[in-house]
Amino acid sequence: MFLSLRGITKSFDGVKALDDVSLDVAEGEFVCVLGPSGCGKTTLLRIIAGLETPDAAEIRFGGRDLARIPARDRNFGIVFQSYSLFPNMTVARNIAYGLECRKWRREDIPGRVLSMLALVNLADQAAKLPHQLSGGQQQRVALARALAPRPAVLLLDEPLSALDAKVREDLRAEIKDLQSRLRITTIMVTHDQHEAMEVADRIVVMNRGRIEQTGRPAELYERPANRFVAGFVGRMNVVRDLHGHAVAGIRPEHVEFVNGEGEAQERRSGRVERCVFLGSITRVVVALGEGRKLTVEVQGRRDDLAPGTEVAVRLPARAILRLDDASP
């Protein structure tokens, strides 16, 4: 295996941030580590990078033990949430400085800087200082700087979270395109499920310092291992005692509005509590009584589902997912 992590454990002041985490990453793979704040994902990335020392771990890269190899010698490129650019250096100098630190030959550096700027579509910004760039442009510079020394692995620590929604959407598409073109092994930490599902070949869902499930985006969405994964990767209605399962779930897009006919076991009656038009879909919250609610997503605009409207919904048995209730 290209990069192999075994038994990674780390505590801070007696609180376990990582609890026996193991993961394999294939060469050229784009892996997203997804989870809520405090789940240990950034600590895991920092341990891989060599910026944090684990309490226990086996980390092998291309068959080589990384335990005693410092961060500067691991040949891993890192991009942080904060751009970490030198404010008094031009864009070109920011990229060149990293190459100088890696002992590149002086005559090779200008050409490499220009090629990196072209790669991230900033060839005309070389002479500017970081404060003269937008947030998205600054993060492109940080990405170019990380890629310039030709790292074996690219590590991204929530690189888009400081950007506004439209820039974030555009830049994550660019990152995926770059990764595919360069075929560079990439591990990205994020708390954004949409970001992970768009760019990742495989997603690692973490919670409380442990891996809950690893798989392709579609696999995690369609076959979540437990209640935590089901609720974190997409939206999920959790319904107890449905069709004989102790805990079951159904995605909002699989719930159907019906006229009251059909299998009684699959049908529920309720009242529209909230209806929100979101452009391509309308999201409807239906109160079923006794504090129970269902979220339903339907295509397009539905003006007939105003709050207070009495409705019947169908929960198709084929769309019901059985969930392990071990995770909250």
Side-chain angles (χ1 to χ4, degrees):
M1 183 54 62
F2 189 67
L3 179 62
S4 179
L5 316 176
R6 290 289 178 271
I8 297 184
T9 300
K10 178 67 177 180
S11 295
F12 296 99
D13 299 323
V15 178
K16 199 164 273 189
L18 293 172
D19 185 8
D20 194 27
V21 171
S22 297
L23 176 68
D24 289 325
V25 179
E27 186 172 8
E29 189 176 26
F30 197 137
V31 171
C32 274
V33 182
L34 174 67
S37 298
C39 72
K41 56 189 186 294
T42 291
T43 300
L44 178 63
L45 197 78
R46 289 178 61 83
I47 287 173
I48 295 170
L51 300 175
E52 198 75 62
T53 302
D55 299 333
E58 179 185 344
I59 305 175
R60 304 191 70 85
F61 172 61
R64 183 176 58 152
D65 186 359
L66 294 184
R68 292 179 175 81
I69 298 177
R72 64 179 179 273
D73 296 329
R74 294 192 182 190
N75 192 28
F76 292 172
I78 309 173
V79 178
F80 298 102
Q81 176 181 339
S82 57
Y83 316 126
S84 301
L85 301 177
F86 296 108
N88 60 332
M89 291 185 182
T90 65
V91 166
R93 281 294 302 144
N94 263 278
I95 299 171
Y97 183 76
L99 296 174
E100 292 165 2
C101 292
R102 298 287 188 101
K103 309 298 184 187
W104 272 52
R105 294 195 310 170
R106 186 175 297 275
E107 58 269 29
D108 293 338
I109 292 176
R112 184 61 176 168
V113 169
L114 289 176
S115 67
M116 286 295 97
L117 287 172
L119 186 69
V120 296
N121 300 312
L122 290 176
D124 58 344
Q125 306 294 316
K128 289 186 177 180
L129 293 170
H131 76 269
Q132 297 173 303
L133 304 179
S134 68
Q137 289 174 323
Q138 290 184 59
Q139 197 59 294
R140 286 183 178 90
V141 176
L143 187 61
R145 182 177 60 186
L147 290 170
R150 297 190 178 95
V153 177
L154 179 63
L155 304 175
L156 307 173
D157 185 9
E158 304 231 31
L160 309 179
S161 60
L163 305 173
D164 64 53
K166 183 63 172 70
V167 174
R168 189 164 65 242
E169 185 176 335
D170 291 343
L171 194 49
R172 72 190 184 205
E174 291 181 32
I175 288 174
K176 178 58 178 176
D177 180 62
L178 274 176
Q179 189 271 339
S180 298
R181 280 193 283 150
L182 299 175
R183 299 185 62 81
I184 183 171
T185 306
T186 302
I187 303 173
M188 183 169 82
V189 159
T190 181
H191 64 273
D192 187 324
Q193 57 167 295
H194 299 293
E195 192 168 282
M197 293 186 76
E198 180 175 340
V199 303
D201 299 317
R202 206 157 43 104
I203 298 174
V204 179
V205 181
M206 290 191 65
N207 182 34
R208 298 177 180 176
R210 299 184 67 88
I211 293 176
E212 295 280 355
Q213 187 176 0
T214 302
R216 299 186 314 277
E219 179 184 348
L220 267 60
Y221 189 82
E222 295 168 0
R223 296 186 298 280
N226 54 46
R227 185 173 174 178
F228 176 82
V229 176
F232 204 83
V233 180
R235 292 176 178 268
M236 178 67 74
N237 292 298
V238 177
V239 186
R240 295 183 181 275
D241 300 319
L242 182 65
H243 303 301
H245 299 319
V247 178
I250 185 169
R251 297 290 185 190
E253 67 271 24
H254 294 150
V255 181
E256 304 168 1
F257 286 107
V258 294
N259 59 11
E261 300 176 356
E263 291 287 339
Q265 189 181 27
E266 295 185 347
R267 195 175 68 250
R268 299 288 185 274
S269 297
R271 183 189 301 270
V272 174
E273 184 175 276
R274 188 167 65 253
C275 183
V276 182
F277 176 57
L278 298 173
S280 59
I281 65 168
T282 295
R283 182 172 295 142
V284 186
V285 177
V286 177
L288 301 178
E290 299 179 357
R292 296 176 301 153
K293 297 179 182 180
L294 276 177
T295 299
V296 188
E297 292 179 351
V298 293
Q299 293 296 313
R301 182 173 174 178
R302 292 290 300 270
D303 294 329
D304 59 319
L305 296 171
T309 304
E310 298 283 347
V311 293
V313 294
R314 175 174 175 259
L315 284 63
R318 57 177 169 73
I320 300 296
L321 298 171
R322 186 170 184 173
L323 303 176
D324 173 11
D325 201 28
S327 294

